[in-house]
């Protein structure tokens, strides 16, 4: 018995099967490359935007720190004023008592 000889001829079905495999793979590779390039552009845009916003955010944070310090100083001043007012009210109360005592001693019976 003789061996069958390999036939180098291609039929239309083999060509179509090859194209049906190669074309989707090539399309997928092209789509992934385009998506990758678009993603890199988007990342570069976001990094540039971040670089432009970073000094503004830092300045705002510094300004907020200054405002926090000013508010803290105002709060300390208000606490001091409240303490002084409380001391003055207690002294006024003492003066009232002294005046009431003096008035009682001076009062002339009728």
């Amino acid at each position: 018995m003789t061996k069958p000889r390999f036939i180098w001829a291609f039929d239309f079905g083999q060509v179509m099967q090859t194209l049906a495999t190669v074309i989707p793979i090539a399309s997928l590779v092209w789509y992934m490359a385009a998506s990758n390039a678009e993603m890199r552009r988007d990342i570069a845009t976001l990094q540039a935007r971040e670089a432009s916003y970073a000094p503004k955010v830092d300045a705002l944070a510094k300004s907020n720190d200054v405002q926090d310090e000013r508010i803290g100083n105002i709060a300390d001043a208000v606490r001091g004023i409240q303490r002084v007012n409380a001391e003055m009210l207690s002294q006024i109360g003492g003066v009232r008592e002294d005046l009431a005592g003096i008035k009682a001693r001076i009062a002339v019976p009728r």
Side-chain angles (χ1 to χ4, degrees):
M1 190 180 234
T2 63
K3 277 183 172 179
R5 207 179 80 175
F6 185 76
I7 302 171
W8 286 95
F10 296 110
D11 65 354
F12 186 69
Q14 290 171 323
V15 172
M16 291 304 290
Q17 185 178 9
T18 302
L19 289 176
T21 304
V22 170
I23 290 175
I25 291 173
S27 298
L28 179 65
V29 168
W30 175 80
Y31 175 75
M32 294 298 279
S35 296
N36 190 15
E38 184 179 351
M39 192 180 316
R40 287 180 189 267
R41 275 194 313 270
D42 291 345
I43 289 172
T45 302
L46 290 173
Q47 287 173 342
R49 198 177 290 169
E50 177 193 4
S52 70
Y53 288 151
K56 296 173 186 173
V57 170
D58 292 340
L60 183 61
K62 188 175 182 181
S63 172
N64 285 343
D65 291 342
V66 170
Q67 294 299 333
D68 290 345
E69 183 178 344
R70 288 178 182 169
I71 290 170
N73 292 340
I74 290 170
D76 291 342
V78 167
R79 279 190 223 104
I81 290 170
Q82 288 173 340
R83 183 179 39 80
V84 168
N85 283 346
E87 290 174 5
M88 287 175 56
L89 287 174
S90 68
Q91 289 177 0
I92 289 172
V95 169
R96 277 188 183 161
E97 291 172 2
D98 291 343
L99 286 176
I102 292 172
K103 195 175 187 181
R105 279 186 273 161
I106 294 177
V108 183
R110 290 189 185 181

